[in-house]
Amino acid sequence: MHSGTFTGYQAASGFLRELLDELGLSGASGPGHVVLGDLVFTVNRAKPAGWAQNTWLDARLIPAPSIGQAAKALKDMQRNWWVHPVRLARRSALVTEKLPKVSARPQVFGEPAPTAPLGAWTLWNEGWLIASPACTSPYPDGLPQFVEDRESAPSRAYLKLWETFTLVGVAPKPGELCLDLGSSPGGWTWVLASLGARVFSVDKAPLDPRIGAMRNVDHCLGSGFGLDPAIAATPEKPVDWLFSDMACYPERLLTLIQRWLDAGACRNFVCTLKFQAETDHETARAFAAISGSRLLHLAHNKHELTWILLR
């Protein structure tokens, strides 16, 4: 990787092992890859990686024998850069001071994701830096921040939906029908109802009373697994969206989603794969293999991935 371009994967915080397993790699280095902190660089072209918080699409080694030369090399490529310091934190900070300032301010939900190119870089050693002018995320380190609503939402789970809708640029429209499976206490239901969608909420536990009282929310006490797609909708009149943030084994969630897909009963899906002690890579790969879908680790995910299918 001393010449040409290569790919860099920034592991979601605490999940470097999961990223390496997903990429089929092991060890700090090997044929065609090297690990630098939480960054995994490979000579292969970029491929979707759910456990990557951000992917550096066009990484290359650049001579940087001095702080000034490092800053100049970056500015000669483009304006906006975000440093991901792994080594030489003080030297990285000195280079950053010579670059145009990039803000990481929280955004208000509903604002579109940034469109300006944002490159990522890190120091390899005192004489070289690694930089990529193009990344998969428009956010610093792939971590969007929002101005939080600490009054209306019953839990912080709503941030996962805010992030999802912002990243994909699509959200339920007023009047669309959304199923929210495993909805209690109602964070996702609150987001959907606030957008003007009609929400049919299902959980064995009740919703927060404030959420249950919203005029476009109907709540059913029961299991999300008990809802028969053949009864809930038809291919001629499908549900607009199915959401699931249920605490269940990913394999069981996959079986549920396959039933809905086979029945043609829903157009769009947003589901959380919540892993237990071990990461179920096999089931994650099965979700990722569903045509047209995306699997990603949101900034607001824990030991979980979010699966998205929009049609």
Side-chain angles (χ1 to χ4, degrees), residues 211-226:
I211 311 304
M214 297 178 76
R215 62 178 179 81
N216 45 341
V217 172
D218 288 310
H219 181 60
C220 174
L221 287 173
S223 169
F225 292 98

Side-chain angles (χ1 to χ4, degrees), residues 127-266:
W128 294 83
L129 63 81
I130 303 175
S132 176
C135 297
T136 55
S137 176
Y139 293 98
D141 280 338
L143 301 172
Q145 301 178 58
F146 294 95
V147 178
E148 297 191 27
D149 187 327
R150 302 182 185 275
E151 301 295 329
S152 304
S155 70
R156 297 186 77 250
Y158 73 95
L159 290 167
K160 289 187 275 189
L161 274 194
W162 276 13
E163 183 178 353
T164 297
F165 296 149
T166 301
L167 292 177
V168 302
V170 179
K173 296 179 177 64
E176 289 190 332
L177 177 59
C178 301
L179 301 182
D180 186 10
L181 307 183
S183 53
S184 180
W188 283 24
T189 291
W190 171 74
V191 172
L192 302 171
S194 298
L195 290 170
R198 296 178 295 128
V199 187
F200 186 71
S201 167
V202 182
D203 201 297
K204 293 180 180 179
L207 293 176
D208 181 295
R210 297 171 300 158
I211 311 304
M214 297 178 76
R215 62 178 179 81
N216 45 341
V217 172
D218 288 310
H219 181 60
C220 174
L221 287 173
S223 169
F225 292 98
L227 188 61
D228 186 347
I231 296 176
T234 66
E236 292 74 27
K237 193 174 181 180
V239 172
D240 295 299
W241 296 78
L242 185 150
F243 295 89
S244 170
D245 198 32
M246 289 189 289
C248 65
Y249 287 105
E251 184 178 7
R252 191 180 184 202
L253 178 64
L254 178 62
T255 300
L256 172 69
I257 295 303
Q258 287 175 330
R259 287 174 55 206
W260 281 87
L261 290 173
D262 291 343
C266 183

